[in-house]
Amino acid sequence: ALHDSPASASVVDELLARVPTLRGTLYELLCSALEMVDRPRVALRLATRHWHGTIEAATLLASPGSAAGGVDGGTSAPFSSTSNWSRLGMREEGESGALVEHLMGRVPGLRETAIDLLMQAVRLHKYGIVQRLVRSGAVAHPRFETEVVPMLLASSE
């Protein structure tokens, strides 16, 4: 179900449409796809076509090996540069950008990490990611003027 090929996607989509008991495992399947940072296309397909319920931010915000925070979809866990969310946000290849934008638009707890991701991308000189986050509205975030602008000014001196 988590293979990143068109044939696999087609079979999974068909089975999820026809077998009600499989739909009961969909959230766990989505969480597994999100944990596998190298399969953003699979996670994006599951999140957009099949899972329309709540997605908990705490699972993605937790660092690998740590216990995830609460279950309210909020920012129960602080932002960590080692979290799956950070690793996904710093990927420049494939569907990673589209998945990050989809999740930030859908999960308030992840939307709140836009400035953290932006500052991490600046530090890592990943300017394509910086551009994507700015275009996605990070400049409207209240922390942009107070944290990002001084960081950009300091790095240009």
Side-chain angles (χ1 to χ4, degrees), residues 76-89:
S76 305
F79 180 82
S80 165
S81 62
T82 62
S83 69
N84 284 338
W85 176 242
S86 174
R87 290 175 43 229
L88 181 63

Side-chain angles (χ1 to χ4, degrees), residues 1-2 4 29-51 55 88 95 99 102-103 106:
L2 297 175
D4 193 13
L29 188 62
L30 173 61
C31 288
S32 294
L34 290 169
E35 287 174 15
M36 299 171 73
V37 176
D38 64 337
R39 307 265 170 90
R41 186 178 333 177
V42 173
L44 183 61
R45 191 182 85 255
L46 292 172
T48 57
R49 289 189 187 174
H50 301 291
W51 182 255
I55 298 173
L88 181 63
E95 301 284 331
L99 177 60
H102 174 78
L103 291 172
R106 186 168 168 183

